[in-house]
Amino acid sequence: MTEPAITPELVAKHNLTPDEYQKVLEILGRPPTYTELGIFSVMWSEHCSYKNTRPVLKGFPTKAANILVGAGEENAGIIDVGDGVAIAFKIESHNHPSAVEPFQGAATGVGGIIRDIFTMGARPVAALNSLRFGELSNPEVRRLFTGVVSGIAHYGNCFGIPTIAGEVYFDKSYEGNPLVNAFCLGVLRHDQITRGAAHGIGNPVFYVGPATGRDGLAGAAFASQDLTEESAEQQRGAVQVGDPFMEKLVCEACLELLATGCVAGMQDMGAAGLTCSTCETAARAGTGIEIELNKVPQRAPNMSSYEIMLSESQERMLIVVHKGREEEVKKIFDKWDLPWAEIGVVTDTGRMVVRHGGKVVVDVPAKKLADEAPVYQRESKEAAYMEAVRAFRLDGIADTTDAAGDLKKLLANHSIASKNWVYRQYDHMVRDGSVVCPGSDAAVIRINVDSLPITKAEYAAAQAGQPAPASARVPDKFVAFSCDCNGAYVYLDPYEGGKAAIAEACRNLACAGASPLGATDNLNFGNPHYPEIFWQLKESVRGIAEGCRAFNAPVTGGNVSLYNQRGALGAIDPTPTVAVVGLIEKPEHITTAWFKDAGDAIILLGTPVDTADPLLGLGGSAYLQTLHGKKTGLPPRVDLEKAKTLHTTLLGLIHTGEVKSAHDCSEGGLAVTLAESCIVQQTARETPRLIGAQIDLSGIKDVRLDALLFGETQNRVVITCAALNATKVIERAKLMGVPASRIGTVGGDALTVKTATGEFTASVGELHDAWWNSIARAMA
């Protein structure tokens, strides 16, 4: 096949600047081949190299005593959870593919993040997702929403992993560019950690998984440019096609293979496919790698070197095997009925050499390709719209005159409403480790010895036909996780919005009874070449980093997704999604959001309204957006010291055994929090347990009613306890420096709220109907 001539136009088509191409020439000492040009294009894309964001990401805290594998080292971070057990977790985006082909884009996003976990040697045990779409009144948005949720459900359900948590927001800014962020968590023993490095000169390199096709061609490069109607149509082939059943076989085969001890290194073929897996494994080990493309299984005839190297066909792994143990590897792959091929060898040259039919088509220094992409210090400038945001005041906003009606409208807001239409399509009970399922502040899973991958001793015993050795005792571990980001907050104040994202995720963990262990982030932004967008990115990272330090939740890894904008629709709201994982000490500390028993005291931890805030917590609020159609005003401030004190105090109260429920105040404010506490519990499928409450806020005077009920002042949690313990709980909280007051009693069939200016009542049945059925009605 004749390769095209390397022209300035072809270089530009590969998204390489003239300066970047000049650097390629300097590295190679000659013009690149067409395949080499494609390889530099994908490896130096933002998606693979972080060339626009690497300096900013250095602001994240990444070190802690419990971190076993840190940010940037491997495919996922790993944290010690005690007793020789560790967890691996990460979040990644599949935004552009999902905008073009929502089902396969979302499905392969799930598949990719699962592979990132088991390539570390961990068994994947739980998944969550963070999704953003335009408004559901738009038929195209409904199509995208349906396709994405179906794709996530298909892949996770077929693979057999519980999708147990997540978040979904709807806003016009995401209309042309939905966000699909997928998270996976796995478990392993400390001695089972596997590295993605090509160690051992002379070791053979194996390919395992389905044959390589033309799907997903240069997907990493596609994800690193603005999405336009033209590019979406042209790049439909850049969307991969997933096979979750194949991935399950690959996962089980790889975990069994690791137990043999014959693996020297393992890497999944994710973004940039065979290119990324070969050059990165060699770069990490300081070795070289040589492969022959004729040996790579191919499902399309006459594939070019360019196509084979840049294909992102799914469910493929690259495995470096200790020399002399090839037959063991082949035996396991054959047992699992998996395609495999021995395609190359580890060398001492430090170079990535690719042959096709014996002819060298790629000869590149592996480390320079993988680790020495150009890095840019982009210009940043405060967004011009911030002047109007800072100037906004409530003077022209009428106070609420129908609190009950406004509450129902907020509960029906698609970003606040129940996401049961989404999660009922997910299997969130498979593997039998789910403890708290979707519907509470944070999901909780149980990890025990059955969750862990097979050990070398267990494998050896099985091969010898002997009884499995007694496993080292592993006490049950209870892991909680949550993901959060209010894009409107970040748009209106990136720094405070970043702090709010990490604070809310950690607050959700505290409400579940967990202390944070670490965080992973997915930074979704527009084009970094625009100074105002890069300013949003820098400021939000600064806020998240401060929050991570305050809550002792170091960043273990993550993903940057830029160029999320589409033509005249413009850029998305900046959305730095944060997923935080925490540990619950004892099963009796597991706490849920819903009210438990009639007669229980309802206590507010935190200040009812931040009167120092000129907007009283209404800036950027769901109330202002839903009832007044305005997305403006500075969002509520986050005092990290107060937040940390609140979380510590709440955990201490939970540990006393006196807290029956805990629910954080976020979108929709105190009234929505109280309503949700009355209606969110499900005792069985489509079987809610509804319970009312009588609330007395009449002692809070001289404040706007809408601010009191719907303001989103930060650092607030609603808890319940037995009435007998209320005084003691309040005094303990105050002793720790947390404002606390009893605001009501659980019971009845309505939510009744008394204020200084009057009283309103809403039946819990009506509130539940507005909240539970809102999305389903929009999708009907």
Side-chain angles (χ1 to χ4, degrees):
M1 183 178 294
T2 304
E3 292 191 342
I6 308 299
T7 64
E9 292 75 21
L10 188 64
V11 171
K13 191 175 179 181
H14 281 75
N15 292 320
L16 290 171
T17 67
D19 286 344
E20 288 170 347
Y21 182 66
Q22 185 60 39
K23 185 171 181 178
V24 171
L25 295 177
E26 292 170 4
I27 289 172
L28 296 178
R30 56 174 171 79
T33 64
Y34 179 52
T35 303
E36 288 171 337
L37 181 68
I39 283 173
F40 274 101
S41 169
V42 293
M43 289 306 298
W44 286 7
S45 68
E46 176 63 31
H47 190 81
C48 290
S49 72
Y50 299 149
K51 61 187 178 185
N52 293 299
T53 54
R54 197 176 294 179
V56 177
L57 299 180
K58 290 179 179 178
F60 283 136
T62 58
K63 305 294 183 183
N66 61 342
I67 292 182
L68 304 178
V69 177
E73 292 183 37
E74 295 285 347
N75 294 278
I78 298 181
I79 290 185
D80 175 26
V81 293
D83 300 296
V85 176
I87 54 174
F89 59 91
K90 190 183 181 185
I91 191 169
E92 281 215 345
S93 64
H94 235 218
N95 301 337
H96 280 37
S98 299
V100 175
E101 289 285 355
F103 182 90
Q104 288 295 352
T108 52
V110 174
I113 197 65
I114 289 174
R115 284 196 305 281
D116 277 341
I117 298 305
F118 72 73
T119 195
M120 299 299 301
R123 176 172 292 284
V125 295
L128 66 75
N129 51 76
S130 174
L131 312 176
R132 301 290 190 284
F133 299 93
E135 297 171 347
L136 287 178
S137 56
N138 184 330
E140 174 63 9
V141 171
R142 294 198 297 273
R143 183 188 72 84
L144 291 170
F145 183 38
T146 300
V148 164
V149 173
S150 298
I152 292 169
H154 167 73
Y155 210 100
N157 294 355
C158 293
F159 181 86
I161 187 172
T163 303
I164 194 172
E167 58 169 1
V168 190
Y169 280 78
F170 301 89
D171 186 274
K172 200 171 183 63
S173 78
Y174 305 106
E175 196 161 285
N177 202 127
L179 302 184
V180 179
N181 296 171
F183 166 102
C184 187
L185 181 143
V187 298
L188 72 169
R189 296 174 176 86
H190 292 191
D191 60 2
Q192 292 177 314
I193 295 173
T194 303
R195 300 285 180 166
H199 288 298
I201 310 304
N203 278 341
V205 176
F206 276 75
Y207 168 119
V208 63
T212 296
R214 292 189 171 100
D215 58 314
L217 198 60
F222 169 49
S224 303
Q225 56 183 292
D226 285 357
L227 187 62
T228 64
E229 299 304 321
E230 182 184 9
S231 72
E233 192 56 41
Q234 289 175 348
Q235 295 292 348
R236 206 163 291 277
V239 180
Q240 307 91 334
V241 178
D243 182 349
F245 297 108
M246 178 64 78
E247 179 128 323
K248 179 64 172 175
L249 296 177
V250 172
C251 175
E252 295 302 331
C254 287
L255 292 179
E256 181 176 337
L257 188 64
L258 291 171
T260 67
C262 64
V263 175
M266 185 164 69
Q267 171 86 347
D268 78 303
M269 296 187 206
L274 192 53
T275 289
C276 190
S277 57
T278 49
C279 72
E280 284 190 351
T281 52
R284 287 190 186 119
T287 59
I289 193 165
E290 185 169 324
I291 61 172
E292 167 56 63
L293 295 186
N294 275 357
K295 295 180 179 180
V296 173
Q298 298 162 45
R299 67 168 179 262
N302 303 317
M303 289 186 69
S304 67
S305 310
Y306 183 100
E307 290 171 329
I308 298 170
M309 289 303 295
L310 271 63
S311 168
E312 293 183 10
S313 294
Q314 295 290 282
E315 291 88 38
R316 303 176 302 158
M317 303 290 287
L318 190 81
I319 301 174
V320 179
V321 176
H322 290 298
K323 189 172 179 61
R325 305 191 66 176
E326 294 89 339
E327 292 308 313
E328 293 176 68
V329 176
K330 297 173 185 177
K331 181 180 176 182
I332 288 175
F333 290 156
D334 287 342
K335 168 191 167 182
W336 288 98
D337 198 23
L338 286 171
W340 60 267
E342 186 177 339
I343 65 169
V345 65
V346 178
T347 68
D348 61 358
T349 64
R351 303 185 74 82
M352 169 186 174
V353 177
V354 180
R355 298 178 185 273
H356 198 175
K359 177 186 175 184
V360 174
V361 292
V362 175
D363 186 353
V364 178
K367 195 163 188 64
K368 287 186 178 295
L369 175 63
D371 298 338
E372 297 182 22
V375 176
Y376 298 105
Q377 297 279 354
R378 294 294 177 199
E379 180 188 351
S380 71
K381 180 177 69 175
E382 181 178 287
Y385 64 78
M386 286 300 298
E387 185 177 349
V389 168
R390 288 196 184 94
F392 176 76
R393 292 295 180 266
L394 298 173
D395 300 344
I397 304 296
D399 202 344
T400 180
T401 56
D402 179 13
D406 290 349
L407 174 58
K408 291 174 188 175
K409 289 175 183 175
L410 279 168
L411 289 170
N413 177 310
H414 296 145
S415 293
I416 293 175
S418 169
K419 305 307 183 295
N420 71 88
W421 186 90
V422 175
Y423 66 70
R424 74 186 180 198
Q425 299 182 53
Y426 303 156
D427 187 337
H428 43 266
M429 296 297 290
V430 64
R431 294 192 57 83
D432 198 32
S434 305
V435 179
V436 178
C437 293
S440 195
D441 285 6
V444 180
I445 61 167
R446 179 185 63 256
I447 296 171
N448 56 27
V449 69
D450 294 333
S451 309
L452 295 162
I454 185 173
T455 65
K456 292 179 181 178
E458 290 168 341
Y459 180 79
Q463 294 302 108
Q466 299 172 351
S471 298
R473 182 178 175 274
V474 177
D476 285 358
K477 306 287 182 183
F478 294 90
V479 175
F481 43 98
S482 174
C483 63
D484 288 284
C485 179
N486 187 321
Y489 282 5
V490 185
Y491 171 75
L492 297 170
D493 189 331
Y495 170 66
E496 288 293 337
K499 285 199 297 181
I502 185 71
E504 184 177 355
C506 290
R507 194 162 62 243
N508 285 334
L509 293 189
C511 287
S515 300
L517 292 170
T520 176
D521 63 88
N522 206 138
L523 306 178
N524 305 277
F525 290 83
N527 190 323
H529 295 268
Y530 294 110
E532 293 188 349
I533 287 177
F534 199 71
W535 173 78
Q536 292 174 340
L537 172 61
K538 285 180 63 177
E539 285 297 289
S540 62
V541 166
R542 183 166 70 93
I544 292 170
E546 284 190 18
C548 287
R549 290 187 185 93
F551 301 120
N552 297 317
V555 174
T556 63
N559 174 242
V560 177
S561 175
L562 304 182
Y563 304 95
N564 289 291
Q565 52 192 73
R566 193 163 187 167
L569 294 171
I572 61 163
D573 279 355
T575 310
T577 301
V578 180
V580 183
V581 177
L583 194 64
I584 301 174
E585 291 182 11
K586 299 178 181 178
E588 56 265 32
H589 295 164
I590 297 170
T591 310
T592 49
W594 45 85
F595 292 153
K596 301 300 186 296
D597 302 302
D600 284 349
I602 302 170
I603 296 169
L604 174 64
L605 299 180
T607 305
V609 179
D610 179 6
T611 54
D613 176 1
L615 303 182
L616 303 173
L618 289 173
S621 66
Y623 172 79
L624 209 59
Q625 294 178 62
T626 305
L627 276 303
H628 296 279
K630 294 182 180 295
K631 183 164 66 176
T632 189
L634 289 173
R637 311 292 90 181
V638 180
D639 185 319
L640 292 173
E641 281 302 314
K642 289 182 179 178
K644 186 175 181 180
T645 300
L646 170 67
H647 300 182
T648 304
T649 301
L650 176 57
L651 286 172
L653 293 173
I654 287 172
H655 291 174
T656 67
E658 289 162 359
V659 174
K660 291 188 175 184
S661 73
H663 188 20
D664 86 304
C665 288
S666 54
E667 287 90 351
L670 180 57
V672 165
T673 301
L674 293 167
E676 288 175 339
S677 299
C678 293
I679 63 178
V680 297
Q681 185 181 12
Q682 292 286 305
T683 56
R685 182 177 172 85
E686 302 288 341
T687 309
R689 174 182 176 267
L690 308 179
I691 189 167
Q694 287 75 51
I695 306 298
D696 187 354
L697 303 174
S698 59
I700 304 170
K701 298 180 171 62
D702 302 323
V703 67
R704 289 176 61 117
L705 183 58
D706 53 6
L708 174 62
L709 297 176
F710 309 119
E712 297 173 6
T713 293
Q714 297 290 289
N715 301 336
R716 297 181 298 167
V717 173
V718 170
I719 65 172
T720 57
C721 65
L724 189 65
N725 296 326
T727 301
K728 182 168 52 175
V729 167
I730 291 169
E731 290 306 313
R732 280 179 178 162
K734 289 181 177 178
L735 193 63
M736 293 295 293
V738 174
S741 57
R742 178 170 180 172
I743 60 171
T745 303
V746 176
D749 57 6
L751 174 62
T752 300
V753 181
K754 182 181 180 182
T755 69
T757 57
E759 180 177 298
F760 74 86
T761 298
S763 80
V764 289
E766 291 178 3
L767 296 177
H768 180 268
D769 177 66
W771 174 77
W772 183 263
N773 295 311
S774 178
I775 292 178
R777 286 179 179 133
M779 297 300 293

